[in-house]
Amino acid sequence: MPHVVTQSCCSDASCVYACPVNCIHPTPDEPDFLTAEMLHIDPQACVDCGACVSACPVDAIVPESKLTDPQRVFLSINADFYKEERPRPLLAKVIPAAHVDKGRPPLRVAIVGSGPSAMYAADELLTQPDVQVNVFDRLPVPYGLVRAGVAPDHQKTKQVTRLFDKIAAQKGFEFYLNVEIGKHISHSELLENHHAVLYAVGASSDRGLGIPGADLPGTASATDFVAWYNGHPDHADDVFDLSHRRAVIIGNGNVALDVARILTADPEKLAGTDISAHALAALRKSRVEEVVIVGRRGIAQSAFTVPEFTGLMALPDIELSVGPDDMVLDSATEELAKRGELPHAVEQKLRLLEALKNRDHVDVGNKRITLRYLLTPTSITGDDQVSGIEFARNALVDANGTVQIEATGDTETIDAGLVLTSIGYRGVPITGVPFDERASVIPNENGRVLEAPNGDPATGVYATGWIKRGPSGFIGTNKSCAQETIRMLVDDFNDGRLTNPVADDSAVDRLVRARQSDVVDREGWHAIDKAELERGAAHDRVREKVLDQVEITSILDAAARVKPARRFGRPVRAR
């Protein structure tokens, strides 16, 4: 019996290189890797050895014999990927690590950001001896969107932090958390003290609706809502009105599905996760019964991924539906379907949506998620609070082979007390670093930062992750993205194009600590992590996140009294 890739796949491709028969695709060197929504095991080629199971950082691979009933749909999702034979070598092509010239002084790199793209970049650098990597983040805790973005009911996905912990434990790695670039240390000071500075700061801002009423109380971004329930320090004091029976989410990507799922979940099933205490308390009092997820295009253009939607369909206590009038295909998709040439992901989504439309109605309680399509928001209604949202009805048209929408003239209003937007993300500028306002990324060529879009390279400055390529891909996609950037960085170092630091590594440490007494280093993060896990265990939870800076400082001081941290041969306070 074959093994099967299931919902929590993060696409980091560790399984690809563990497989002795090259039966997991797409591989990082294949053209569809960056757009694939998950990896797939060929059931005909799989020899059932299980090597991929131990390689997967998020426990996404399961033997067929151990699949649960909701997971069995992944049998066909995996198998259908191989309906057309894929040419492939005996083994997947291994992408070699960038080789640092040992004849040069030890390479020292600053990485700004501590999420997946940063950690994969650090790992790639630390494959080489004597490399020093200093990771900076303005938050006092690391791992970016894995900690503050992945939904609390997706604990398997969050397991990738175990890999990040191993990366952070390597010789040559150090955290400088609770340190803000431009406030505690400047971009130019980072460059002076490192051969290179690599920005891995993601895309932390949202695209706005830009319609009347978008600033009414009761309207917010889904990103802020996610940060709120995940315990992001910037959003610990946010308040969301959950007193109305209906909430509307504009946009139908994975974040929209996450938010809808959390809003309709039984709070007691979330109580054992790492959801923030303030969000759990609010959800226990919530009166939201229905969440409407709205997309302006058709079902074939659904932005959510197959694994996430499959997981949503499997929930036993939520009524999920799609309007029959919304099950409309554009002519281009219809033609591809007739020829059997639909992209794998689109074919699977259409199959799942059709199954959803046709499945028998089962009364599972008072919580409902409704998918709507072909609606463009035109205004949010209400006087001093959101009361609803008005939409223009769309039709799908073929414009020279491109699917577009045009208004039909019909309108629709949906009553709601909460409107959340999830229509895309934008990078934000960093003081002293080039920025492309149009694309909302740091301008770069294969990770080398440019002085301006299409300009000359900025010496010693690099980018990876969403701030490099825009908001696309998944957790594991950042691995291949980081590999590309690190190859550019190491090539520049080996060719002598990078400037040597003005002082040894202790200089940047002294500089940061002189300006930010509450810096959290690697030992400090261990203390916070330990405290959160212990507090969680005491309340039968995965962890209980510490959000208050005063409390964090207290934890660090207590840890320092027990075991003083040592840096550069002298004891210092852990903070």
Side-chain angles (χ1 to χ4, degrees):
M1 288 187 177
H3 282 64
V4 182
V5 181
T6 62
Q7 181 185 346
S8 58
C9 176
C10 71
S11 297
D12 92 332
S14 297
C15 56
V16 167
Y17 302 114
C19 178
V21 293
N22 194 18
C23 74
I24 306 175
H25 293 265
T27 60
D29 62 305
E30 292 175 334
D32 51 345
F33 176 77
L34 292 179
T35 56
E37 296 181 349
M38 59 180 284
L39 304 184
H40 312 79
I41 292 177
D42 183 348
Q44 300 301 316
C46 177
V47 294
D48 206 25
C49 68
C52 54
V53 175
S54 56
C56 178
V58 293
D59 292 345
I61 302 176
V62 181
E64 180 184 352
S65 60
K66 294 185 178 180
L67 289 172
T68 64
D69 285 343
Q71 288 177 324
R72 297 199 69 81
V73 66
F74 284 98
L75 276 169
S76 61
I77 291 173
N78 278 252
D80 286 352
F81 187 76
Y82 297 93
K83 286 193 302 185
E84 294 185 10
E85 187 173 348
R86 298 176 68 92
R88 51 192 172 192
L90 182 63
L91 293 175
K93 180 182 178 181
V94 176
I95 300 174
H99 180 72
V100 175
D101 186 352
K102 295 181 180 179
R104 301 188 60 80
L107 174 62
R108 190 190 312 159
V109 178
I111 299 179
V112 181
S114 64
S117 59
M119 298 308 295
Y120 282 124
D123 191 35
E124 197 68 16
L125 285 164
L126 293 169
T127 60
Q128 302 296 302
D130 301 323
V131 175
Q132 175 67 37
V133 176
N134 296 323
V135 174
F136 295 79
D137 199 301
R138 71 177 186 86
L139 296 181
V141 290
Y143 305 153
L145 284 180
V146 176
R147 178 181 170 100
V150 175
D153 59 346
H154 279 11
Q155 289 299 314
K156 276 192 175 184
T157 304
K158 286 177 180 275
Q159 286 178 188
V160 74
T161 58
R162 298 176 185 174
L163 171 63
F164 298 161
D165 285 338
K166 292 178 180 178
I167 294 170
Q170 294 181 78
K171 180 182 178 182
F173 184 102
E174 186 56 275
F175 274 133
Y176 288 92
L177 308 175
N178 217 20
V179 175
E180 186 172 349
I181 309 307
K183 178 180 179 181
H184 301 115
I185 189 169
S186 68
H187 166 70
S188 60
E189 287 171 329
L190 283 178
L191 267 179
E192 289 173 2
N193 286 279
H194 299 84
H195 289 96
V197 180
L198 170 58
Y199 285 92
V201 293
S204 56
S205 181
D206 297 271
R207 298 186 184 278
L209 277 179
I211 60 174
D215 56 350
L216 275 172
T219 301
S221 75
T223 303
D224 288 350
F225 190 79
V226 168
W228 170 74
Y229 66 60
N230 267 320
H232 191 295
D234 291 352
H235 297 274
D237 297 325
D238 288 0
V239 176
F240 294 90
D241 185 355
L242 306 180
S243 62
H244 194 281
R245 64 172 296 272
R246 182 182 293 118
V248 172
I249 304 173
I250 308 300
N252 59 15
N254 284 353
V255 172
L257 266 57
D258 282 346
V259 170
R261 203 175 58 250
I262 296 300
L263 278 170
T264 53
D266 179 353
E268 301 316 310
K269 292 185 177 180
L270 297 173
T273 71
D274 60 348
I275 190 171
S276 67
H278 55 262
L280 183 61
L283 290 168
R284 281 174 166 153
K285 298 176 182 178
S286 172
R287 296 182 180 178
V288 174
E289 297 177 2
E290 180 184 22
V291 178
V292 181
I293 301 174
V294 181
R296 62 189 181 90
R297 296 186 294 171
I299 56 174
Q301 292 78 40
S302 297
F304 54 73
T305 63
V306 171
E308 281 302 305
F309 192 62
T310 301
L312 186 65
M313 287 184 65
L315 294 177
D317 50 1
I318 294 174
E319 181 183 337
L320 180 65
S321 64
V322 56
D325 293 340
D326 293 336
M327 292 288 290
V328 178
L329 285 181
D330 57 275
S331 58
T333 300
E334 285 183 329
E335 184 60 31
L336 288 173
K338 288 178 183 177
R339 299 201 304 261
E341 297 176 0
L342 282 174
H344 174 69
V346 174
E347 181 181 18
Q348 297 301 319
K349 289 175 191 178
L350 295 180
R351 183 179 297 172
L352 291 169
L353 285 164
E354 188 66 26
L356 175 63
K357 186 189 77 169
N358 294 329
R359 75 181 180 183
D360 295 335
H361 171 76
V362 178
D363 188 2
V364 294
N366 64 345
K367 296 299 179 75
R368 179 184 303 110
I369 296 175
T370 304
L371 300 174
R372 297 296 310 276
Y373 290 88
L374 298 171
L375 294 174
T376 294
T378 55
S379 68
I380 297 174
T381 61
D383 295 326
D384 53 5
Q385 172 71 29
V386 169
S387 62
I389 182 165
E390 295 179 349
F391 295 93
R393 184 73 181 175
N394 298 323
L396 297 169
V397 296
D398 185 351
N400 298 321
T402 302
V403 178
Q404 296 185 0
I405 58 171
E406 64 178 22
T408 64
D410 295 332
T411 61
E412 181 176 342
T413 300
I414 299 178
D415 294 335
L418 177 66
V419 174
L420 299 173
T421 59
S422 183
I423 55 175
Y425 304 92
R426 295 172 51 88
V428 296
I430 300 166
T431 302
V433 182
F435 191 72
D436 184 342
E437 290 287 352
R438 183 188 61 81
S440 300
V441 298
I442 293 176
N444 71 92
E445 184 176 0
N446 300 325
R448 284 190 180 101
V449 170
L450 306 177
E451 294 286 1
N454 302 314
D456 295 328
T459 302
V461 190
Y462 302 85
T464 189
W466 281 10
I467 198 64
K468 167 188 171 183
R469 66 181 190 272
S472 64
F474 311 99
I475 290 174
T477 313
N478 292 294
K479 186 174 184 177
S480 55
C481 181
Q483 287 173 333
E484 178 186 60
T485 296
I486 297 306
R487 283 196 296 273
M488 301 298 107
L489 188 158
V490 170
D491 284 349
D492 290 345
F493 175 74
N494 291 341
D495 291 343
R497 290 193 287 266
L498 303 184
T499 304
N500 289 331
V502 296
D504 64 24
D505 195 31
S506 63
V508 71
D509 185 78
R510 291 192 299 270
L511 177 63
V512 170
R513 293 176 187 277
R515 296 178 182 174
Q516 169 58 309
S517 60
D518 289 322
V519 60
V520 178
D521 59 17
R522 186 164 55 173
E523 291 298 321
W525 161 238
H526 289 165
I528 296 169
D529 185 41
K530 181 173 181 287
E532 290 186 339
L533 292 172
E534 288 176 348
R535 294 180 185 198
H539 296 93
D540 295 322
R541 306 189 65 199
V542 172
R543 75 166 61 230
E544 193 166 300
K545 294 175 180 174
V546 180
L547 308 183
D548 182 68
Q549 180 61 53
V550 174
E551 196 171 359
I552 287 174
T553 301
S554 176
I555 291 170
L556 298 179
D557 285 343
R561 287 193 295 271
V562 173
K563 183 180 179 181
R566 300 186 68 87
R567 285 185 56 83
F568 310 112
R570 65 188 187 282
V572 297
R573 295 179 68 193
R575 67 183 180 92

